[in-house]
Structures are given as structure tokens and as C-alpha cells.
Amino acid sequence: MLIDTYGRVATDLRVSLTDRCNLRCTYCMPEEGLSWLARPDLLTDDEIVRLIGVAVTSLGIEEVRFTGGEPLLRPGLTGIVERVAALRPRPRMSLTTNGIGLGRTAAALKAAGLDRVNVSLDTLRPDVFKTLTRRDRHRDVLDGLRAAREAGLTPVKVNSVLMPGLNDDEAPDLLAWAVEHDYELRFIEQMPLDAQHGWRRESMVTAEDILKSLRTRFELTPEADEERGSAPAERWIVDGGPHRVGVIASVTRPFCAACDRTRLTADGQIRTCLFATEETDLRGALRSGAADEEIARIWRHAMWGKKAGSGLDDPRFLQPARPMSAIGG
């Protein structure tokens, strides 16, 4: 069991498979990209599967989410999914992606054992997409979403970040589109995870801004609190149902008290929080010949020291040393 001093138990593991990405989203990284991790620093496929195995069989992990960077850029992804699906007990598996490669991989990932996907899409307008991501790949994302739904990677969740002056007027259009295509839409407040440290609290589009915009076109009924559990998204029933929309208010309404996550970076570090400034090295233990029991002990010790909150509700918040592309969203 991965328990901390506040009584929270981690059952959800986020695994970053790579720090690389084929987009250059303005709220994540500069146009020229970043200094990528050297290949020897990255965990191998075998190391990833072994660490997930320790987490599932010895530490109580029930759900595994593969992230990046962009996880579809990992050459061995399908094999990793297949091997994790063979673990007993079998964890639920999902993937957070920008969707560009889903058109050609969705069916294979489903066959390997992946349960569902989260796809990032911030706009329905190709020109705005190009401005936000610095790449002309909007059609590829839409094709990937359709392929995921057809492959049965459901519910297909769509994550959207609204940026002032670019797409902050699109919330109702995005929800209407998601309802039409049977996707579950979730808006995420922009978080201070950009490598260039350009985030400003006073200019972000807040959860209240998003809900106010949605209510100009839809009737939103709050979902019962017990249905949320430890999920980060507050959800509302749209026009009486069955569709729902979520808002992840990481900045203005932090949900740290119910957090059930632990994170493994692409280079084998344990992070107790997306915004943590400290990491615990598992790669070194792996490569020095540590037994599974020792790896589990190190992991438990790291999680025991998890802080009460992310600090995002503090206006003096300082950004973590590593950007989101390096630690997994």
C-alpha cells in the first residue's frame, strides 16, 4: 500500500513514457522544443514493465495511465500495454495523448489491452489549433478521436485548455461538438507547467469563467459528490443527461485532499505530485540490482512524505523545476 501521513492511499499510477512531443503547445514548451532526455537516461520497456509490476502486485496500484510528452511516440508502447495487461491483478489502463497518432494505433492498442484514452483538443478551429500548437495537425487529431471511438477505447475523454484571446470563447461550441460525437469533455484550468514560465494567475481562464460561458447555452446540473470520488474533475449533467461535462479546477479549487496518484517519470523518478520539486530515484535502484522488495520499500518511503497540497492555491506559488513534458500530465 502507498499511504502518506495524511491518510491518502495512492491507487492510480501515471507513467510518463517519453519527454518528447510532436506538438509545441504554447502553454507547455517553447517553439524550438526542449533539451530531450538522452536515451540511456530513459527507462527501457523491461524496466517500465517491471516497475509497474511492483506497483500493481506489491503496492496496491489499480489503474495505470500512460502519459508523455506524447506517449504514442514510444516505439514499444503496444508491447508495454500488452505486458501490463497480463499482470495479475490486471490494472485498468488508459492513455493521455494529443491524438495525432491514434488513427493508425487505436485498434492495435485496444487489442493489446488498453481500456480507454484521453485526447487533448483545445479548439474546433484549425487556424487556432495551429496558433496554439505551432503545428497544422488539427485534422489528424479529429481522425484519431474517431478511430479511438470506433476501436472501443471508451469513454473517449477530450481535455481542453482555454487561453485568453485565443479560444476562450469556444466552451459552448466544444461542448455541443462533444455531445454530438459522444465524447466526454473536460476543461482544465491552465496550470503553471510551461517550460518558459509564462503562466500568470491573473490572466488564466478560471473554472467559474468556463461554467458561466457554458450556461449561456446549456443547463448544467451538478453531479452528486459521491460520484466524483477521487476524480480530479467536477462534473455536471448536460441538459438533463445522459451527457456530462467536467471541469478540472487545479488552480482555483484544488482537490489535493482526495488525491490518489503517484507518478513515474520517463527517466525513472517517483514524483508524489505533478508540482513536486523533489523526486525519488528508482532507476538507480533498478540498475544497481535491487530486488523488487527494495524497490517497493523506496516507493513507500517516497509516498509517505507526500505534502498536503500542491501549493497552487498560494499566489506565491513557484513553478516546478521540470516542465510537464518531462514529468507527465
Side-chain angles (χ1 to χ4, degrees), residues 13-16 43 51 262-266 268-270 282 327:
L13 170 61
R14 305 296 171 96
V15 181
S16 175
L43 293 174
L51 289 176
T262 183
R263 298 175 180 275
L264 178 65
T265 67
Q269 310 300 305
I270 289 299
L282 289 186
I327 58 182

Side-chain angles (χ1 to χ4, degrees), residues 208-227:
E208 287 306 318
D209 296 331
I210 294 164
L211 292 170
K212 182 179 179 181
S213 178
L214 292 176
R215 286 184 172 121
T216 63
R217 198 183 306 180
F218 301 94
E219 179 184 343
L220 302 180
T221 306
E223 193 176 61
D225 288 342
E226 58 268 21
E227 293 192 42

